[in-house]
Amino acid sequence: MSYARNLRCRECGRSYPLEPAHVCEFCFGPLEVFYDYQAMRREVSRQSLAAGPPSIWRYAPLLPADPASAVDIGTGFTPLLRAPNLGRLLGLNRLYVKNDCVNPTWSFKDRVVSVAAAKAREFEFDTLACASTGNLANSVAAHAAKGGLKAFVFIPADLEQGKVIGSAVYGPTLVAVDGSYDEVNRLCSELSDKYPWAFVNITVRPYYAEGSKTLAYEVCEQLGWRAPDHCIVPMASGSLFTKIYKGIKELAWLGVIDWRETRMTGVQALGCSPIVEAWERQSFSIRPQKPNTIAKSLAIGNPADGYYALKTLAQSGGNGLAVTDDEVVEGIRLLAETEGIFAETAGGVVVAGLKRLAEGGRLDPDELIVAFITGAGLKTQEAVQERLAPPLVAKASIASFEEALSQRQGALPAARK
Ligand SMILES: *Cc1c(COP(=O)(O)O)cnc(C)c1O
Ligand SMILES: [Zn+2]
C-alpha cells in the first residue's frame, strides 16, 4: 500500500491530487509527492522493509506507485562494495562504492523509470516517452518493451554509439534531434502539451523523481541500517542528488535509522557545471550553460532541480566541485584499475571529485564515504578508447607471443621451474 497522499508545490505549498501534473498552476513551481508519514511510521520498520523482494519494490511503502502496476525488469538492490584499494590510494579507510552499473539497462535510470512506468500504467497511458541524455532513453525503451507500451524516445544527435544502440535494440521510435539536451527537452515539453504520452521526466516527473530515493534506502540498509557520513554524487538536473538526501531524511523520520549529519557532495564536469558555478558564486540562481564535455549523461545546461541541489549542498554542509574531462578519463581508469568496475563518464566524474577532495585534505580518513557510480562504461567507450594501451598483437605461437611481450615490457616473466 502506498502512503502517497497528494502533490505539493515546492514553492507555494498548494496541494494537488495525485494526477499526471508537474508544475503548480499558480506559481509554476515544481510539484513533489507528499506522503502521510504518520501512518507510514506506524507500519514501516526495518523488519517490514527487509522482508520485501530483492528489488526497488521492497521500498514500495515509501514510493508513490503500487507494485502491482510495476513493469518489473529487475531494477535495484545493486551491490554496495567496500573499495579498499582505491581507499588506500586516497588515504580513506572506509570507502564504499554503490555499483549501479549493474541495473537491467546498466544505469541508475532504471530506478526512476520503474516508478514512472508503474504510474503511467495506473494513469492508463499507452505510450512512454522521454527527453534523454542517453541512459534514460535506454531505460524508457526497455520498460516500454516489457510493459507492452509504445515508446517515443528523444535524444541529442551527438550521443555515444552505445547509448543509441542501447535504445534502438528495444524497438522504440527513437528520434535523434539536431540540438543539445536542453533543446530536446524544450521540444518534448511542447510535444507533451500536444500528445497524450507519459513523458517520464515531464508529464509524470514528480513520481519519476521519487525513484532515486531507493538508492539511499538500499545504501542505508546495506550498511546495516545507518546513513553514510558523506555521499559523493554526480549531478545533471540535480534531481538524483536531492532525492538521495530526501531518502536518508525519510528513513530517519521513520526511525528506521538514526539521524546523522550526512554531507552531500555533488560533482559535475567542468564543461557543463551550472550548479557548481552558482555554488562557487555563493548564489542560488543558476546561469544556464552550453555544454561541452565528454560526460554527456550529465550535460544539462539548464538544470531543472539546480536550485534545490544548491539548497541540499548548503543544508548538508557538502561540497560542489567541477572536474576536467582529463580528470574524468583518469577517474574511469582509476576505478577500473583499483576496484574492477568499469563505469561510464558520470562515474569518472564522481571518482575524480573524490580524488580532488582527498588530495586536498578535505576528507576525514575515517569518515564513511559512499561514491555513487551510476552508469556502466561499455556505453561510453569513446571516452577511453584512445587512452588505453592497445592489445599486444601476436601469432598463435609462443615465440610470437614472447616477442610481442618483450617488445612492450623488456624482460619476460619468470617461467615455470
Ligand atoms: C541522468 C544521470 C545522472 C544524474 O541525473 P539527474 O537526476 O538529472 O541529476 C547521473 N548519472 C548518470 C549515469 C545519469 O544517466
Ligand atoms: Zn505553487
Side-chain angles (χ1 to χ4, degrees):
M1 119 150 220
S2 172
Y3 297 93
R5 289 295 174 265
N6 52 37
L7 295 176
R8 285 203 188 157
C9 174
R10 294 185 77 163
E11 290 308 309
C12 74
R14 275 191 176 79
S15 297
Y16 294 85
L18 292 168
E19 281 172 1
H22 64 110
V23 284
C24 176
E25 287 167 14
F26 291 88
C27 76
F28 302 106
L31 303 182
E32 182 174 31
V33 179
F34 188 82
Y35 300 84
D36 181 349
Y37 287 110
Q38 298 300 331
M40 199 192 280
R41 208 185 155 94
R42 285 194 292 273
E43 306 292 331
V44 171
S45 64
R46 290 179 184 183
Q47 289 73 21
S48 75
L49 293 175
S55 75
I56 61 163
W57 297 107
R58 72 202 277 107
Y59 309 107
L62 295 102
L63 296 173
D66 184 344
S69 45
V71 177
D72 193 357
I73 60 172
T75 300
F77 225 64
T78 57
L80 178 74
L81 299 161
R82 282 209 83 136
N85 305 330
L86 181 57
R88 206 170 305 118
L89 216 68
L90 300 180
L92 304 171
N93 300 322
R94 294 162 80 202
L95 177 63
Y96 289 80
V97 169
K98 178 63 170 167
N99 184 11
D100 241 19
C101 304
V102 298
N103 271 309
T105 73
W106 305 286
S107 88
F108 98 94
K109 289 294 197 304
D110 288 328
R111 298 176 182 276
V112 282
V113 175
S114 287
V115 176
K119 251 6 239 186
R121 275 186 164 175
E122 288 173 28
F123 294 138
E124 300 183 345
F125 284 99
D126 66 4
T127 304
L128 284 188
C130 68
S132 173
T133 58
N135 286 314
L136 187 58
N138 296 180
S139 188
V140 163
H143 280 83
K146 171 88 178 195
L149 300 158
K150 284 175 276 195
F152 286 87
V153 167
F154 296 83
I155 52 175
D158 70 346
L159 277 194
E160 302 95 341
Q161 269 303 301
K163 290 193 178 149
V164 176
I165 293 167
S167 296
V169 73
Y170 304 106
T173 302
L174 180 61
V175 186
V177 177
D178 177 19
S180 67
Y181 170 80
D182 298 281
E183 290 167 296
V184 175
N185 191 45
R186 183 183 42 73
L187 167 65
C188 288
S189 287
E190 291 167 15
L191 286 169
S192 73
D193 286 336
K194 178 154 187 187
Y195 293 99
W197 301 340
F199 278 89
V200 296
N201 52 340
I202 301 170
T203 327
V204 292
R205 186 174 179 88
Y207 310 96
Y208 156 98
E210 293 292 285
S212 290
K213 298 188 307 184
T214 58
L215 262 172
Y217 303 150
E218 283 178 21
V219 164
C220 291
E221 182 175 352
Q222 288 166 322
L223 289 172
W225 299 110
R226 64 153 282 176
D229 297 319
H230 200 157
C231 297
I232 319 285
V233 181
M235 299 190 293
S237 73
S239 176
L240 167 68
F241 181 72
T242 59
K243 294 295 177 174
I244 288 175
Y245 197 49
K246 180 179 180 184
I248 292 172
K249 284 196 287 192
E250 283 178 337
L251 290 188
W253 283 333
L254 294 171
V256 168
I257 59 170
D258 292 331
W259 173 246
R260 58 176 71 234
E261 306 284 328
T262 300
R263 283 200 288 157
M264 295 294 299
T265 284
V267 196
Q268 298 196 288
L270 190 60
C272 183
S273 49
I275 302 174
V276 173
E277 191 271 335
W279 175 250
E280 286 171 347
R281 271 191 287 119
Q282 299 186 312
S283 163
F284 282 95
S285 87
I286 304 269
R287 289 180 190 150
Q289 294 182 357
K290 199 171 178 307
N292 179 17
T293 169
I294 58 167
K296 294 178 193 287
S297 57
L298 304 180
I300 297 184
N302 190 11
D305 290 285
Y307 168 73
Y308 300 101
L310 289 164
K311 281 178 65 165
T312 299
L313 278 167
Q315 269 176 24
S316 74
N319 306 279
L321 62 164
V323 296
T324 65
D325 282 3
D326 278 346
E327 288 177 276
V328 173
V329 174
E330 199 196 335
I332 293 174
R333 295 185 59 175
L334 192 58
L335 184 65
E337 290 173 8
T338 57
E339 298 297 337
I341 296 172
F342 182 15
E344 71 139 83
T345 46
V349 166
V350 163
V351 173
L354 178 72
K355 183 163 183 279
R356 264 256 207 109
L357 290 178
E359 289 176 352
R362 292 163 72 190
L363 299 172
D364 172 348
D366 291 318
E367 62 183 317
L368 196 162
I369 302 172
V370 176
F372 288 80
I373 304 302
T374 49
L378 284 176
K379 296 197 205 188
T380 63
Q381 297 180 48
E382 293 89 338
V384 288
Q385 205 163 26
E386 313 277 282
R387 310 282 278 267
L388 304 176
L392 297 177
V393 178
K395 298 205 179 67
S397 75
I398 290 181
S400 176
F401 157 67
E402 288 182 339
E403 191 193 325
L405 186 61
S406 56
Q407 265 177 24
R408 168 95 38 112
Q409 64 178 41
L412 290 173
R416 216 183 252 284
K417 290 260 158 45

